[in-house]
C-alpha cells in the first residue's frame, strides 16, 4: 500500500505559477512511476505528466513547455511546477503512483485525494 499526500494547490491568476508536491509513504517500491492527473467537472481524468524512477518524462500536449515534473527518489516525492497557467488548467489535480514489477507491469495504482487548482482573475 502506498499513501500519497498532495499539497500546493490554490487560486492563482492567469499567467501565474504554482508548484504541486506529493509525498509517498507506506510500501513504496524501488520500481515506481509517479505522475499527476487532473479532472475538471464533467470531464474525464487525464494525464498531465508522468515520470519514471530514471527521470524519463511524459507530458500532455496541452502543458508542454509550461509544466515541469520532477522527483526525488530518496525522499519519495514528486513535484509539478506549473507556469503560465491558463483558466483551462483549472481542475482537481491527483498524484499517482504506479508500483511496477521487473517487467514494467503495473501491480498497483495509488492515488492521492486531490488538490484543487483554480486559475481565475
Amino acid at each position: 500500500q502506498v499513501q500519497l499526500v498532495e499539497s500546493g494547490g490554490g487560486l492563482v491568476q492567469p499567467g501565474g505559477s504554482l508548484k504541486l508536491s506529493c509525498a509517498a509513504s507506506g510500501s513504496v517500491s524501488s520500481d515506481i512511476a509517479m505522475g499527476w492527473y487532473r479532472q475538471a467537472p464533467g470531464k474525464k481524468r487525464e494525464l498531465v505528466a508522468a515520470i519514471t524512477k530514471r527521470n524519463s518524462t511524459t507530458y500532455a500536449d496541452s502543458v508542454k513547455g509550461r509544466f515541469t515534473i520532477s522527483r526525488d527518489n530518496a525522499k519519495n516525492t514528486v513535484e509539478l511546477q506549473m507556469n503560465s497557467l491558463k483558466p483551462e488548467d483549472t481542475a482537481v489535480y491527483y498524484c499517482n503512483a504506479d508500483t511496477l514489477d521487473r517487467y514494467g507491469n503495473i501491480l498497483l495504482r495509488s492515488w492521492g485525494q486531490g488538490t484543487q487548482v483554480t486559475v481565475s482573475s
Side-chain angles (χ1 to χ4, degrees):
Q1 296 181 340
V2 178
Q3 291 78 49
L4 303 172
V5 180
E6 305 103 330
S7 63
L11 174 65
V12 65
Q13 295 183 355
S17 299
L18 282 176
K19 184 171 73 175
L20 305 182
S21 298
C22 176
S25 62
S27 301
V28 182
S29 173
S30 61
D31 193 2
I32 186 170
M34 302 188 73
W36 291 92
Y37 288 70
R38 67 186 182 188
Q39 186 170 25
K43 302 291 185 179
K44 65 182 184 298
R45 185 174 298 189
E46 65 176 357
L47 175 68
V48 178
I51 186 168
T52 70
K53 67 176 182 180
R54 294 181 173 85
N55 290 322
S56 177
T57 58
T58 300
Y59 295 94
D61 289 340
S62 60
V63 307
K64 287 181 179 178
R66 300 189 297 120
F67 292 9
T68 302
I69 189 170
S70 61
R71 69 186 293 170
D72 187 326
N73 292 328
K75 297 180 179 179
N76 290 321
T77 59
V78 62
E79 296 184 339
L80 184 68
Q81 178 65 51
M82 304 184 293
N83 299 324
S84 302
L85 284 162
K86 305 174 181 179
E88 51 262 45
D89 295 319
T90 297
V92 177
Y93 284 70
Y94 297 91
C95 181
N96 158 255
D98 290 336
T99 302
L100 310 176
D101 65 13
R102 61 180 298 180
Y103 306 105
N105 300 308
I106 299 175
L107 298 176
L108 177 68
R109 305 206 84 181
S110 301
W111 300 94
Q113 65 180 358
T115 184
Q116 177 71 46
V117 172
T118 302
V119 184
S120 176
S121 60

